[in-house]
Amino acid sequence: MVKAGAAVLGRERRWVDRAVVKVLRAYRIAPADRPRELAGFLEGITRPAVIRRRRVTPVQVVRMRWHAPPINDLGELAAFLDVDGDLLDWFADRREINRHARDERLRHYRYRWLPHRLIEAPKPHLLALQRRLLDEVLARVPVHERAHGFVPGRGVHTFAASHAGQAVVVRLDLRAFFSTVTAARIYGIFRSAGYPEPVAHALTALTTTRTPARVLRDAPDPRLAALLRRPHLPQGAPTSPALANLCAFRLDRRLTGLAGRFGLHYSRYADDLAFSGPDHPHNLIPYVHSIAVDEGFEINPAKTRVRGQADRQLLAGLVVNSSPAVPREDYDRLRATLHNAATHGLAEANRDGHADFAAQLAGRVAWVSHRHPARARKLQELLSAALAKP
C-alpha cells in the first residue's frame, strides 16, 4: 500500500505510512466493494496532495449477505441482465433523459394519474430487466414475517385471518407508500445485500425514477408532487413492492415489538397496518405515528379506523369479525350480475365493457368464494349457467 501511494503521488511521502496504518486498523477486510467509502475515509485522514497517476482497480464482492447472485462490477451486471454497457447506462438513465425528454419514445415509463396516485409503468424492455432483478435478486432477500403483501405464500387472506375474531381491530394507512421510499434507501438495500458501490448505484437507478415535470403538472396534491420529483420507487414497476417491503423491515420489527408490549397482534399488507387484540390502548396510535415517521414513512390520519365487535371490522376488503369474508353487499352484487348474465347473456350483463368478461367474472367468483363453500357452490352454479347461455 505504501508503494501504491508513492506511485499515485509521484514520490514517497512520510504521512502515507501513518495513513496506511489507520486504514488497516479501520478495515480488517479490504474494502474492495466500496471505493467511494474508502476515498472518503482517506480524505479525512490525509493531507491535500496532487495526484500524479491514477490507478484503476476493479471492484468486487467482499461478502454476500444472502443467497443473491454475486455481481462484481458493471460489466458483470450487464452480462447478468443480457445487455451491453451502453444499454445498461441507457436504462439506468444516469443523464436523466427520461425526466427531461419531450418525446414519449425516449421515456422509460408510461404515466397515468389515478385520484390519489400516479401509475408509472415501465416499458417492455425495462420491465423485463426489472422482472429478472425481482426473480433472481430480490426474491432471495427475506422480508419480515409480519409482511403479507407481495410475498409468496402470503396475501390478503393470511393478512386478514391473523386478525379474525378479535375484540378490537385498529387499521392505519401509510401515505404514498411507494413514493415515500427514496433512492438512498434502495441503495442501502443493495449495499446490505453485498453488492459493490457501483453495482448498487446501477441497481438503484434501474429500480427508481424521477417523474418528469410535465407529468407533475397534473398532480392532485403538492405534497405528492414533491415526493415524485425526487428519485423514488415507481408504482407500477414489478420490483417496487419487494423493495418497499424490504425498506419497511425495521418498521415491521418495531411495530411488532410495540404490539407485543400492548398484548396485541400486528401485521402489514402493503400500506395497510393492522393491530388487533382484547382492547385498544389509548396511546397506541400516537406511538405508531412516531415510529412510522422515524422510519421514513407517514401515517394518513384520515384513514385510521378503530373497530370493535359491534362494528364491521374491515381489513383489505375483507370483514374479519369472525372468519375473513367479502362484505355481504359485494356478494349480493356479484350474484345479481351472474343471474343477469345467466338470464340475458354475457354481452347484456357486461355493462362496464370488460374485454374478457367471462374471465373477469371467474376471478370475482374465486375471490368472493375463498374458504366459503356455500357461497362458492351458489356462485359457481350461476357462473356455469352464464357461460352456457348462448
Side-chain angles (χ1 to χ4, degrees):
M1 291 178 66
V2 172
K3 290 181 179 179
V8 168
L9 300 174
R11 64 186 180 87
E12 294 185 2
R13 302 290 181 97
R14 292 181 180 178
W15 53 264
V16 171
D17 294 23
R18 295 191 296 272
V20 168
V21 171
K22 291 180 180 179
V23 168
L24 292 176
R25 287 176 178 172
Y27 295 95
R28 295 184 179 182
I29 300 175
D33 61 336
R34 40 200 162 142
R36 294 187 183 184
E37 179 187 308
L38 179 59
F41 179 82
L42 287 171
E43 188 177 359
I45 64 171
T46 58
R47 301 177 182 179
V50 177
I51 304 298
R52 301 295 182 184
R53 178 187 174 191
R54 293 187 179 274
R55 300 184 61 178
V56 179
T57 303
V59 294
Q60 62 183 24
V61 168
V62 172
R63 181 179 67 90
M64 295 301 294
R65 187 173 179 181
W66 298 289
H67 296 292
I71 302 173
N72 288 299
D73 53 35
L74 295 180
E76 289 191 12
L77 177 59
F80 174 76
L81 295 174
D82 198 23
V83 297
D84 59 30
D86 290 338
L87 269 179
L88 177 62
D89 188 62
W90 165 252
F91 286 116
D93 197 26
R94 300 176 189 276
R95 290 170 286 183
E96 293 196 331
I97 293 175
N98 177 79
R99 183 166 180 250
H100 298 292
R102 297 188 177 186
D103 190 336
E104 172 65 27
R105 293 171 296 180
L106 297 178
R107 291 181 177 174
H108 297 317
Y109 292 86
R110 294 187 175 93
Y111 302 93
R112 179 166 58 93
W113 280 105
L114 297 179
H116 302 291
R117 65 190 65 188
L118 175 66
I119 301 300
E120 299 177 286
K123 292 181 178 178
H125 201 156
L126 178 58
L127 178 66
L129 299 183
Q130 291 175 341
R131 281 179 173 162
R132 177 170 293 186
L133 292 176
L134 173 64
D135 295 339
E136 301 185 32
V137 175
L138 297 177
R140 312 287 181 87
V141 185
V143 301
H144 197 275
E145 61 181 4
R146 299 296 174 85
H148 289 258
F150 319 108
V151 180
R154 308 176 204 170
V156 171
H157 287 90
T158 61
F159 168 67
S162 64
H163 299 280
Q166 295 294 326
V168 177
V169 174
V170 180
R171 182 175 69 84
L172 304 98
D173 179 82
L174 295 174
R175 192 195 303 271
F177 184 45
F178 293 130
S179 307
T180 302
V181 179
T182 63
R185 298 174 71 179
I186 301 305
Y187 173 76
I189 293 295
F190 287 120
R191 283 291 295 126
S192 296
Y195 290 110
E197 288 175 342
V199 176
H201 277 294
L203 291 172
T204 300
L206 289 171
T207 54
T208 60
T209 188
R210 296 179 68 181
T211 308
R214 290 174 175 267
V215 177
L216 292 177
R217 292 173 185 172
D218 298 325
D221 183 350
R223 291 181 299 177
L224 177 59
L227 293 174
L228 296 172
R229 192 172 289 115
R230 65 185 185 180
H232 61 274
L233 286 180
Q235 184 163 352
T239 46
S240 292
L243 286 167
N245 272 343
L246 295 175
C247 286
F249 189 95
R250 276 175 48 91
L251 174 72
D252 291 332
R253 184 172 62 185
R254 293 180 66 181
L255 292 182
T256 299
L258 177 69
R261 175 182 172 183
F262 287 121
L264 304 175
H265 173 72
Y266 161 78
S267 66
R268 178 178 60 82
Y269 184 86
D271 55 359
D272 283 344
L273 312 179
F275 296 82
S276 64
D279 56 17
H280 168 228
H282 72 278
N283 53 349
L284 170 68
I285 293 176
Y287 273 126
V288 174
H289 276 258
S290 177
I291 291 173
V293 170
D294 196 36
E295 293 301 326
F297 296 98
E298 182 183 356
I299 300 295
N300 184 353
K303 293 187 177 182
T304 298
R305 300 287 186 272
V306 180
R307 296 290 183 262
Q309 271 290 330
D311 308 308
R312 186 167 74 169
Q313 300 171 334
L314 195 66
L315 289 178
L318 297 174
V319 178
V320 298
N321 292 68
S322 54
S323 60
V326 170
R328 178 73 192 194
E329 58 267 28
D330 292 353
Y331 166 70
D332 291 340
R333 191 179 302 114
L334 175 58
R335 189 174 61 176
T337 300
L338 290 169
H339 183 269
N340 186 25
T343 304
H344 303 289
L346 289 173
E348 178 69 22
N350 187 14
R351 296 177 180 176
D352 295 327
H354 293 284
D356 190 345
F357 191 47
Q360 195 263 356
L361 285 177
R364 290 173 62 188
V365 167
W367 164 252
V368 174
S369 303
H370 186 79
R371 294 190 177 179
H372 287 271
R375 285 185 174 185
R377 184 172 57 256
K378 294 177 182 178
L379 294 177
Q380 194 60 51
E381 289 174 357
L382 286 171
L383 178 61
S384 298
L387 296 178
K389 179 72 177 178

